[in-house]
Every structure is written in C-alpha cells, then in structure tokens.
Amino acid sequence: KFGILFQSGALFNSMTLAENVSLPLQEHTDLGREIINIQVKIKLEQVGLREHSEKYPAQISGGMKKRAGLARALALDPRILFYDEPSAGLDPVTSAEIDRLIVDLTRKVGVTSVVVTHEMDSAFTIADRMAMLDKGRMLAVESRDWFDGVRKAGEDEAAKMSEDLRLIRQFLRGDAEGPITKRRAATNYADDLLGTDDDSGDAPSPSVQPTRGRG
C-alpha cells in the first residue's frame, strides 16, 4: 500500500532501469512476464524514462536516477508514496522538474505524497499541508498558507511571536539570525573541549576500549 523513493534512488547497479522497476512486481505478484513488461513500460513512461529502460544506473544522471527510483516506488500502485529528500544533490532546474512530477503524480494517479525535505522552495511547491519537526518535537502541522504567513511575517510581527514560531520563521526564511543560531551559539566550545562544563569532574569513558599494550 506504500512505496518509497530513497534519497539516493537506491537502484540496483547490476540491473537495468526496467529490471529495477520489474523487481517488486516479480517479488510480490503472480503476474506473467508479458504483463510485468507492460506495467514496467507504463511506470517508466509516467516518469519520462521509457526510452531509457535498458540503461544501467551508472549510465544516467542523478535526476534520472531519482525518476527511476520513483517508477519503482510506483510499481505496485501504492496509495501512499514516501519521498526522502527528493531534491537532494540536484541542480535547481532538475529539482523543479522533480517537484512538478510529484505534483502531477499526486493529481493524476491519486496517490498521497509524504515528502521529507529541507528545500523550502520545493516544500511550498508540493505541499497542501506541512509539518515541522525540531529535535523530535512537532512544532506545527498546518496548511501551506499558514506556513507562508509565518514566513512572510515582518520583524515587528515576529517580535511578538512565541519562540517556536520564531524558530519556524527563521527556518522557512533561511535567516542567519534567530532562535536556531542562538541555540547553537549557547554551546561553549572551550568548555566542551576542556571538559570544564562537566559537573562531575570525571572525563567521559570511551565507547570503545583500546587494545594496544595489553599483554
């Protein structure tokens, strides 16, 4: 019921794109070879790679690998698609193409897309609803318009926000100053280096004990 597009594509290098896409169908269905081949062509056509079906992952670009991974994720006609950083490592144009592909698939195939990304341009292009996590804590789950309002808030309005909202605003805008950078600066490097911030006075024990010098 769900498919996953891994951040790196996670294609099998010894298989062609067609073989990569056919693998889930071979493993999880009783379909014959002819039907599987038809399904593979349909999925590769959906991501614009049908003409490259016999190429190996080493012969294609990073963006094409992402699209091939997406075709494989679609192989079993899932209800939900999970994307792990779909724009990672891609140039802006290719990233925009992947965003458009995600939106098109969501509308045409009727699949629900759950996307994890640090690229805010992509997030605001793809999302209907957005959620923001900070150190394992859910700060907000709201509509795209709500997050856009926080992003566009002026300095006077931001001054009246809670710390969580100011943290969200800084992340959305990519500002160099704000709660996130203040939190990072609060760690004293000298104390951490010399161990002077350890109240116990004892140096932390290593996770791996050395074996040299033992009889």
Side-chain angles (χ1 to χ4, degrees):
K1 295 181 180 180
F2 66 90
I4 301 174
L5 173 60
F6 298 93
Q7 182 172 338
S8 62
L11 299 173
F12 292 100
N13 291 326
S14 60
M15 295 181 177
T16 65
L17 302 190
E19 290 168 343
N20 268 281
V21 177
S22 70
L23 184 62
L25 294 165
Q26 293 173 3
E27 292 290 325
H28 300 292
T29 73
D30 296 322
L31 297 174
R33 168 56 59 184
E34 184 177 349
I35 299 299
I36 288 178
N37 288 341
I38 292 172
Q39 288 294 317
V40 168
K41 290 177 182 178
I42 291 172
K43 301 310 178 186
L44 287 173
E45 178 65 23
Q46 286 179 330
V47 300
L49 289 178
R50 183 172 52 82
E51 297 85 352
H52 304 279
S53 62
E54 297 307 312
K55 290 184 179 178
Y56 289 89
Q59 297 174 304
I60 60 177
S61 67
M64 292 172 73
K65 289 177 183 177
K66 290 287 181 76
R67 285 189 280 153
L70 182 52
R72 185 179 60 186
L74 288 165
L76 297 172
D77 296 319
R79 297 175 59 186
I80 302 173
L81 271 177
F82 294 96
Y83 298 80
D84 182 12
E85 298 283 0
S87 302
L90 302 180
D91 64 81
V93 174
T94 305
S95 179
E97 290 176 344
I98 294 293
D99 291 344
R100 184 174 61 183
L101 181 59
I102 293 171
V103 173
D104 286 346
L105 287 173
T106 301
R107 292 173 179 169
K108 294 177 181 177
V109 183
V111 67
T112 297
S113 297
V114 180
V115 183
V116 176
T117 182
H118 290 85
E119 300 290 339
M120 290 300 97
D121 288 341
S122 291
F124 280 97
T125 299
I126 296 167
D128 296 306
R129 290 179 61 79
M130 300 170 67
M132 184 165 177
L133 287 165
D134 176 57
K135 295 185 176 296
R137 185 167 61 96
M138 187 71 74
L139 297 183
V141 183
E142 299 287 351
S143 68
R144 174 177 54 193
D145 291 341
W146 184 90
F147 276 92
D148 196 34
V150 173
R151 177 174 63 164
K152 293 177 179 177
E155 294 298 331
D156 291 341
E157 189 176 352
K160 301 175 184 177
M161 291 179 175
S162 66
E163 183 171 351
D164 282 352
L165 282 179
R166 286 187 285 111
L167 188 150
I168 292 172
R169 178 177 178 271
Q170 181 186 3
F171 189 86
L172 295 177
R173 294 164 59 94
D175 291 339
E177 297 293 335
I180 298 173
T181 42
K182 287 181 180 178
R183 182 171 62 190
R184 291 173 180 170
T187 302
N188 190 310
Y189 173 63
D191 288 343
D192 186 36
L193 187 66
L194 300 175
T196 54
D197 60 344
D198 187 355
D199 295 335
S200 66
D202 298 325
S205 57
S207 57
V208 178
Q209 296 293 338
T211 57
R212 291 183 180 179
R214 292 183 178 177

